[in-house]
């Protein structure tokens, strides 16, 4: 499988075989974390991590990933780069991307909803970098997608239903029931992680239910992809506005707050208004009683968790919670992505 030079913007743009090859390498890297086969993959090479927004997992796991592959990850922020924006003079993306391509072997970019004037503008910025850069652009979470999170999620679920850590079985996910439920929360969350989860769960043959209050639907393009992926796999996709609606028989429960499609007004992300709207709904927290209605389901979340609102402590820290395994998997899937797209393996 030759993925050298490929961008990773959203998992839907990679074939299933490409995703499986990446996940297979990630599992191998998890089992044999410091095997010499991997530790020189990026020797003497630099990966740029360009962050418009803060992060715990993404920055730390990419930095560790570069180190473990024998390379180096350099942290960049737009404040330090004199870039041209809609309101300021400066360097164009074309020039920045071409120069960065002369130094590094790949560029990761994170730009979330509060740094752009309209939905999709963050993803467009990544695609503009991809247009001009001669090296891979890796989406470290934009306002639409979070492919590295999606890969870590599916690997974690396949480990839980397969052979355990480092031994995922993706066939075991076929026909299982995935519930993505909107949840109460104070953080006015992005659509990127939940959208990526819908795409990848449906891609791997899971039945998908989205439970959300009326008015909290996600990107129609993502619903269309999810529907098409489900149809291709003989699986079902449905939505419900009942907060209890999808727990019965669920195998994977993913609860997460997210904003409405009206989050942008007059070219601004209205976080306070979204927080207020979200607070007007109650009864959308994943708890032990709801998990008891699942088919011995696991709890999943990309983190950071808004404990007490998105999910109770009892569930988030309980024996069927996959959250730390999945956070760990960010490291392994990103090592695999970097090795395949930027390294020699
Ligand atoms: N899940 C995730 O991307 O976490 P961070 O925002 O901490 O990077």
């Amino acid at each position: 499988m030759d993925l050298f030079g490929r961008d990773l913007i959203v998992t839907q743009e990679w074939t299933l075989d490409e995703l499986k090859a990446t996940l297979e390498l990630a599992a191998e890297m998890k089992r044999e974390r410091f095997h010499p086969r991997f530790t020189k993959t990026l020797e003497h090479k630099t990966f740029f991590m360009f962050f418009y927004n803060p992060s715990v997992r993404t920055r730390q796991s990419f930095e560790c990933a570069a180190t473990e592959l024998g390379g180096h990850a350099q942290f960049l922020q737009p404040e330090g780069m004199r870039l041209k924006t809609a309101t300021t003079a400066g360097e164009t993306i074309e020039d920045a991307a071409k120069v960065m391509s002369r130094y590094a072997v790949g560029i990761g970019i994170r730009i979330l909803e509060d740094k752009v004037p309209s939905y999709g503008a963050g993803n467009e910025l990544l695609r503009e970098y991809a247009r001009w850069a001669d090296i891979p652009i890796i989406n470290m979470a934009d306002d639409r997608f979070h492919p590295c999170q999606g890969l870590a999620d599916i690997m974690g679920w396949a480990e839980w239903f397969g052979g355990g850590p480092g031994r995922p079985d993706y066939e075991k996910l076929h026909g299982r029931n995935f519930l993505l439920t909107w949840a109460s929360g104070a953080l006015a969350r992005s659509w990127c992680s939940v959208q990526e989860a819908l795409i990848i769960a449906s891609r791997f043959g899971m039945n998908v239910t989205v439970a959300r209050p009326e008015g909290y639907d996600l990107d129609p393009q993502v619903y269309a992809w999810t529907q098409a992926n489900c149809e291709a796999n003989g699986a079902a996709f449905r939505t419900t506005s009942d907060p209890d609606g999808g727990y019965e028989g669920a195998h994977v429960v993913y609860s997460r707050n997210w904003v409405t499609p009206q989050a942008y007004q007059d070219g601004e992300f209205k976080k306070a208004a979204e927080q207020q709207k979200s607070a007007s709904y109650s009864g959308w927290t994943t708890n032990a009683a709801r998990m008891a209605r699942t088919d011995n389901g696991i709890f999943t979340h990309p983190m950071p968790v808004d404990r007490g609102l998105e999910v109770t402590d009892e569930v988030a820290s309980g024996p069927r919670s996959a959250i730390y395994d999945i956070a760990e998997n960010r490291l392994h899937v990103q090592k695999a992505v970097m090795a395949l797209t930027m390294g020699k393996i």
Side-chain angles (χ1 to χ4, degrees), residues 51 53-61 110 112 140-141 146 149 189 192-193 256 301-304 327 330 334:
F51 278 94
N53 291 84
S55 156
V56 169
R57 279 145 294 275
T58 303
R59 178 177 177 181
Q60 293 173 15
S61 56
R110 162 165 291 199
L112 296 176
M140 298 196 304
H146 198 349
Q149 185 63 55
R189 305 270 202 184
C192 65
S193 296
R256 174 82 155 171
H301 192 290
M303 306 183 81
R330 292 290 303 278
Q334 289 158 200

mmCIF file of all heavy atoms in Angstrom, residues 51 53-61 110 112 140-141 146 149 189 192-193 256 301-304 327 330 334, ligand 1:
data_model
loop_
_atom_site.group_PDB
_atom_site.id
_atom_site.type_symbol
_atom_site.label_atom_id
_atom_site.label_comp_id
_atom_site.label_asym_id
_atom_site.label_seq_id
_atom_site.Cartn_x
_atom_site.Cartn_y
_atom_site.Cartn_z
ATOM 1 N N PHE A 51 -0.809 24.905 15.178
ATOM 2 C CA PHE A 51 -2.008 24.946 16.025
ATOM 3 C C PHE A 51 -2.611 26.345 16.109
ATOM 4 O O PHE A 51 -1.983 27.254 16.649
ATOM 5 C CB PHE A 51 -1.660 24.498 17.448
ATOM 6 C CG PHE A 51 -1.614 23.005 17.621
ATOM 7 C CD1 PHE A 51 -0.414 22.318 17.496
ATOM 8 C CD2 PHE A 51 -2.763 22.288 17.910
ATOM 9 C CE1 PHE A 51 -0.367 20.943 17.669
ATOM 10 C CE2 PHE A 51 -2.717 20.904 18.088
ATOM 11 C CZ PHE A 51 -1.519 20.230 17.959
ATOM 12 N N ASN A 53 -5.574 26.368 17.674
ATOM 13 C CA ASN A 53 -6.362 26.126 18.899
ATOM 14 C C ASN A 53 -5.574 25.247 19.861
ATOM 15 O O ASN A 53 -4.695 24.507 19.440
ATOM 16 C CB ASN A 53 -7.670 25.402 18.554
ATOM 17 C CG ASN A 53 -8.621 26.282 17.787
ATOM 18 O OD1 ASN A 53 -8.508 26.395 16.577
ATOM 19 N ND2 ASN A 53 -9.542 26.915 18.489
ATOM 20 N N PRO A 54 -5.938 25.290 21.148
ATOM 21 C CA PRO A 54 -5.213 24.472 22.124
ATOM 22 C C PRO A 54 -5.525 22.983 22.005
ATOM 23 O O PRO A 54 -6.474 22.582 21.323
ATOM 24 C CB PRO A 54 -5.700 25.010 23.473
ATOM 25 C CG PRO A 54 -6.920 25.781 23.204
ATOM 26 C CD PRO A 54 -6.975 26.131 21.761
ATOM 27 N N SER A 55 -4.741 22.192 22.700
ATOM 28 C CA SER A 55 -4.886 20.744 22.628
ATOM 29 C C SER A 55 -4.128 20.092 23.778
ATOM 30 O O SER A 55 -3.097 20.609 24.205
ATOM 31 C CB SER A 55 -4.288 20.257 21.305
ATOM 32 O OG SER A 55 -3.904 18.909 21.384
ATOM 33 N N VAL A 56 -4.635 18.974 24.266
ATOM 34 C CA VAL A 56 -3.846 18.096 25.138
ATOM 35 C C VAL A 56 -3.360 16.914 24.299
ATOM 36 O O VAL A 56 -2.180 16.751 24.009
ATOM 37 C CB VAL A 56 -4.666 17.601 26.352
ATOM 38 C CG1 VAL A 56 -3.937 16.491 27.105
ATOM 39 C CG2 VAL A 56 -4.935 18.765 27.294
ATOM 40 N N ARG A 57 -4.320 16.076 23.870
ATOM 41 C CA ARG A 57 -3.990 14.826 23.197
ATOM 42 C C ARG A 57 -3.263 15.016 21.869
ATOM 43 O O ARG A 57 -2.276 14.333 21.585
ATOM 44 C CB ARG A 57 -5.269 13.993 22.936
ATOM 45 C CG ARG A 57 -5.739 13.204 24.121
ATOM 46 C CD ARG A 57 -7.242 13.150 24.158
ATOM 47 N NE ARG A 57 -7.743 14.488 24.395
ATOM 48 C CZ ARG A 57 -7.870 15.028 25.626
ATOM 49 N NH1 ARG A 57 -7.609 14.298 26.666
ATOM 50 N NH2 ARG A 57 -8.287 16.269 25.795
ATOM 51 N N THR A 58 -3.774 15.914 21.052
ATOM 52 C CA THR A 58 -3.248 15.989 19.685
ATOM 53 C C THR A 58 -1.799 16.457 19.677
ATOM 54 O O THR A 58 -0.936 15.851 19.038
ATOM 55 C CB THR A 58 -4.142 16.912 18.841
ATOM 56 O OG1 THR A 58 -5.474 16.391 18.907
ATOM 57 C CG2 THR A 58 -3.677 16.962 17.399
ATOM 58 N N ARG A 59 -1.523 17.515 20.410
ATOM 59 C CA ARG A 59 -0.138 17.995 20.430
ATOM 60 C C ARG A 59 0.785 16.943 21.044
ATOM 61 O O ARG A 59 1.838 16.626 20.500
ATOM 62 C CB ARG A 59 -0.027 19.306 21.208
ATOM 63 C CG ARG A 59 1.419 19.742 21.242
ATOM 64 C CD ARG A 59 1.686 21.042 21.912
ATOM 65 N NE ARG A 59 3.128 21.276 21.927
ATOM 66 C CZ ARG A 59 3.706 22.323 22.472
ATOM 67 N NH1 ARG A 59 2.977 23.262 23.026
ATOM 68 N NH2 ARG A 59 5.019 22.454 22.443
ATOM 69 N N GLN A 60 0.382 16.423 22.209
ATOM 70 C CA GLN A 60 1.277 15.503 22.918
ATOM 71 C C GLN A 60 1.493 14.213 22.124
ATOM 72 O O GLN A 60 2.611 13.707 22.020
ATOM 73 C CB GLN A 60 0.720 15.209 24.307
ATOM 74 C CG GLN A 60 0.752 16.445 25.193
ATOM 75 C CD GLN A 60 0.042 16.251 26.527
ATOM 76 O OE1 GLN A 60 -0.240 15.131 26.930
ATOM 77 N NE2 GLN A 60 -0.245 17.344 27.202
ATOM 78 N N SER A 61 0.407 13.689 21.548
ATOM 79 C CA SER A 61 0.558 12.406 20.842
ATOM 80 C C SER A 61 1.335 12.576 19.540
ATOM 81 O O SER A 61 2.132 11.701 19.176
ATOM 82 C CB SER A 61 -0.808 11.756 20.597
ATOM 83 O OG SER A 61 -1.663 12.630 19.893
ATOM 84 N N ARG A 110 -4.317 22.296 13.020
ATOM 85 C CA ARG A 110 -5.559 22.323 13.810
ATOM 86 C C ARG A 110 -6.155 23.725 13.731
ATOM 87 O O ARG A 110 -5.510 24.715 14.092
ATOM 88 C CB ARG A 110 -5.313 21.972 15.269
ATOM 89 C CG ARG A 110 -6.482 22.426 16.161
ATOM 90 C CD ARG A 110 -6.475 21.818 17.521
ATOM 91 N NE ARG A 110 -6.778 20.402 17.443
ATOM 92 C CZ ARG A 110 -7.195 19.667 18.485
ATOM 93 N NH1 ARG A 110 -7.367 20.223 19.665
ATOM 94 N NH2 ARG A 110 -7.443 18.385 18.341
ATOM 95 N N LEU A 112 -10.081 25.220 14.621
ATOM 96 C CA LEU A 112 -11.461 24.882 15.013
ATOM 97 C C LEU A 112 -12.407 26.057 14.780
ATOM 98 O O LEU A 112 -12.001 27.139 14.354
ATOM 99 C CB LEU A 112 -11.474 24.415 16.468
ATOM 100 C CG LEU A 112 -10.680 23.123 16.716
ATOM 101 C CD1 LEU A 112 -10.651 22.772 18.194
ATOM 102 C CD2 LEU A 112 -11.242 21.952 15.911
ATOM 103 N N MET A 140 -5.300 17.866 11.949
ATOM 104 C CA MET A 140 -5.208 17.612 13.406
ATOM 105 C C MET A 140 -6.485 18.120 14.097
ATOM 106 O O MET A 140 -6.456 18.439 15.274
ATOM 107 C CB MET A 140 -3.978 18.324 13.988
ATOM 108 C CG MET A 140 -2.653 17.848 13.420
ATOM 109 S SD MET A 140 -1.198 18.320 14.384
ATOM 110 C CE MET A 140 -1.354 20.080 14.483
ATOM 111 N N ALA A 141 -7.571 18.173 13.376
ATOM 112 C CA ALA A 141 -8.915 18.648 13.763
ATOM 113 C C ALA A 141 -9.160 20.021 13.186
ATOM 114 O O ALA A 141 -8.531 21.003 13.580
ATOM 115 C CB ALA A 141 -9.151 18.661 15.266
ATOM 116 N N HIS A 146 -12.020 15.239 11.922
ATOM 117 C CA HIS A 146 -10.920 14.918 12.831
ATOM 118 C C HIS A 146 -10.495 13.471 12.530
ATOM 119 O O HIS A 146 -10.779 12.554 13.306
ATOM 120 C CB HIS A 146 -11.409 15.061 14.276
ATOM 121 C CG HIS A 146 -10.329 15.173 15.303
ATOM 122 N ND1 HIS A 146 -8.991 14.925 15.043
ATOM 123 C CD2 HIS A 146 -10.397 15.496 16.634
ATOM 124 C CE1 HIS A 146 -8.293 15.090 16.147
ATOM 125 N NE2 HIS A 146 -9.116 15.445 17.121
ATOM 126 N N GLN A 149 -8.671 11.239 15.118
ATOM 127 C CA GLN A 149 -9.571 10.800 16.184
ATOM 128 C C GLN A 149 -10.428 9.636 15.696
ATOM 129 O O GLN A 149 -10.610 8.637 16.411
ATOM 130 C CB GLN A 149 -10.459 11.966 16.630
ATOM 131 C CG GLN A 149 -11.336 11.626 17.820
ATOM 132 C CD GLN A 149 -10.506 11.312 19.059
ATOM 133 O OE1 GLN A 149 -9.683 12.111 19.461
ATOM 134 N NE2 GLN A 149 -10.707 10.146 19.652
ATOM 135 N N ARG A 189 -19.282 22.498 21.766
ATOM 136 C CA ARG A 189 -18.294 21.697 21.050
ATOM 137 C C ARG A 189 -18.430 21.729 19.529
ATOM 138 O O ARG A 189 -19.522 21.821 18.988
ATOM 139 C CB ARG A 189 -18.451 20.233 21.456
ATOM 140 C CG ARG A 189 -18.384 19.980 22.925
ATOM 141 C CD ARG A 189 -17.001 19.725 23.349
ATOM 142 N NE ARG A 189 -17.039 18.998 24.607
ATOM 143 C CZ ARG A 189 -15.976 18.671 25.306
ATOM 144 N NH1 ARG A 189 -14.794 19.004 24.877
ATOM 145 N NH2 ARG A 189 -16.092 18.016 26.421
ATOM 146 N N CYS A 192 -16.371 18.358 14.589
ATOM 147 C CA CYS A 192 -15.347 17.562 13.880
ATOM 148 C C CYS A 192 -15.259 16.115 14.368
ATOM 149 O O CYS A 192 -15.237 15.193 13.547
ATOM 150 C CB CYS A 192 -13.998 18.256 13.939
ATOM 151 S SG CYS A 192 -13.273 18.424 15.589
ATOM 152 N N SER A 193 -15.205 15.900 15.668
ATOM 153 C CA SER A 193 -15.003 14.531 16.162
ATOM 154 C C SER A 193 -16.231 13.663 15.918
ATOM 155 O O SER A 193 -16.114 12.500 15.497
ATOM 156 C CB SER A 193 -14.691 14.539 17.661
ATOM 157 O OG SER A 193 -13.485 15.201 17.903
ATOM 158 N N ARG A 256 -21.696 13.346 23.369
ATOM 159 C CA ARG A 256 -20.849 14.520 23.154
ATOM 160 C C ARG A 256 -21.758 15.718 22.906
ATOM 161 O O ARG A 256 -22.739 15.617 22.176
ATOM 162 C CB ARG A 256 -19.987 14.250 21.914
ATOM 163 C CG ARG A 256 -19.131 15.406 21.430
ATOM 164 C CD ARG A 256 -17.855 15.525 22.191
ATOM 165 N NE ARG A 256 -16.824 16.195 21.422
ATOM 166 C CZ ARG A 256 -15.668 16.576 21.920
ATOM 167 N NH1 ARG A 256 -15.381 16.347 23.179
ATOM 168 N NH2 ARG A 256 -14.766 17.179 21.170
ATOM 169 N N HIS A 301 -15.551 8.311 23.897
ATOM 170 C CA HIS A 301 -15.549 9.782 23.866
ATOM 171 C C HIS A 301 -14.148 10.210 23.436
ATOM 172 O O HIS A 301 -13.158 9.621 23.884
ATOM 173 C CB HIS A 301 -15.872 10.318 25.274
ATOM 174 C CG HIS A 301 -16.185 11.771 25.327
ATOM 175 N ND1 HIS A 301 -15.222 12.747 25.124
ATOM 176 C CD2 HIS A 301 -17.338 12.437 25.537
ATOM 177 C CE1 HIS A 301 -15.787 13.941 25.221
ATOM 178 N NE2 HIS A 301 -17.079 13.783 25.465
ATOM 179 N N PRO A 302 -14.047 11.256 22.605
ATOM 180 C CA PRO A 302 -12.715 11.655 22.124
ATOM 181 C C PRO A 302 -11.908 12.412 23.161
ATOM 182 O O PRO A 302 -10.703 12.580 22.995
ATOM 183 C CB PRO A 302 -13.043 12.558 20.930
ATOM 184 C CG PRO A 302 -14.391 13.123 21.241
ATOM 185 C CD PRO A 302 -15.124 12.043 21.976
ATOM 186 N N MET A 303 -12.588 12.891 24.219
ATOM 187 C CA MET A 303 -11.981 13.706 25.272
ATOM 188 C C MET A 303 -11.573 15.075 24.689
ATOM 189 O O MET A 303 -11.308 15.151 23.510
ATOM 190 C CB MET A 303 -10.801 13.014 25.937
ATOM 191 C CG MET A 303 -11.160 11.637 26.467
ATOM 192 S SD MET A 303 -9.780 10.846 27.346
ATOM 193 C CE MET A 303 -9.926 11.635 28.959
ATOM 194 N N PRO A 304 -11.517 16.146 25.462
ATOM 195 C CA PRO A 304 -11.788 16.188 26.888
ATOM 196 C C PRO A 304 -13.275 15.967 27.193
ATOM 197 O O PRO A 304 -14.144 16.449 26.471
ATOM 198 C CB PRO A 304 -11.363 17.604 27.298
ATOM 199 C CG PRO A 304 -11.472 18.427 26.051
ATOM 200 C CD PRO A 304 -11.168 17.497 24.922
ATOM 201 N N ALA A 327 -7.662 7.347 23.654
ATOM 202 C CA ALA A 327 -6.683 8.449 23.719
ATOM 203 C C ALA A 327 -5.278 7.904 23.434
ATOM 204 O O ALA A 327 -4.495 8.524 22.703
ATOM 205 C CB ALA A 327 -6.739 9.117 25.083
ATOM 206 N N ARG A 330 -4.486 7.375 19.745
ATOM 207 C CA ARG A 330 -4.095 8.537 18.926
ATOM 208 C C ARG A 330 -2.616 8.440 18.576
ATOM 209 O O ARG A 330 -2.197 8.717 17.449
ATOM 210 C CB ARG A 330 -4.386 9.842 19.683
ATOM 211 C CG ARG A 330 -5.874 10.148 19.891
ATOM 212 C CD ARG A 330 -6.538 10.523 18.574
ATOM 213 N NE ARG A 330 -5.873 11.649 17.951
ATOM 214 C CZ ARG A 330 -6.066 12.939 18.252
ATOM 215 N NH1 ARG A 330 -6.973 13.259 19.143
ATOM 216 N NH2 ARG A 330 -5.400 13.910 17.640
ATOM 217 N N GLN A 334 -1.412 7.811 14.658
ATOM 218 C CA GLN A 334 -0.662 8.927 14.068
ATOM 219 C C GLN A 334 0.746 8.495 13.669
ATOM 220 O O GLN A 334 1.274 8.957 12.650
ATOM 221 C CB GLN A 334 -0.657 10.115 15.021
ATOM 222 C CG GLN A 334 -2.028 10.765 15.093
ATOM 223 C CD GLN A 334 -2.294 11.581 16.335
ATOM 224 O OE1 GLN A 334 -3.433 11.831 16.672
ATOM 225 N NE2 GLN A 334 -1.257 11.999 17.035
HETATM 226 N N1 LIG B 1 -9.511 14.584 21.173
HETATM 227 C C1 LIG B 1 -8.666 15.620 20.972
HETATM 228 O O1 LIG B 1 -8.380 16.021 19.816
HETATM 229 O O2 LIG B 1 -8.138 16.145 22.104
HETATM 230 P P1 LIG B 1 -7.319 17.505 22.193
HETATM 231 O O3 LIG B 1 -8.264 18.622 21.824
HETATM 232 O O4 LIG B 1 -6.845 17.607 23.606
HETATM 233 O O5 LIG B 1 -6.174 17.456 21.218
#
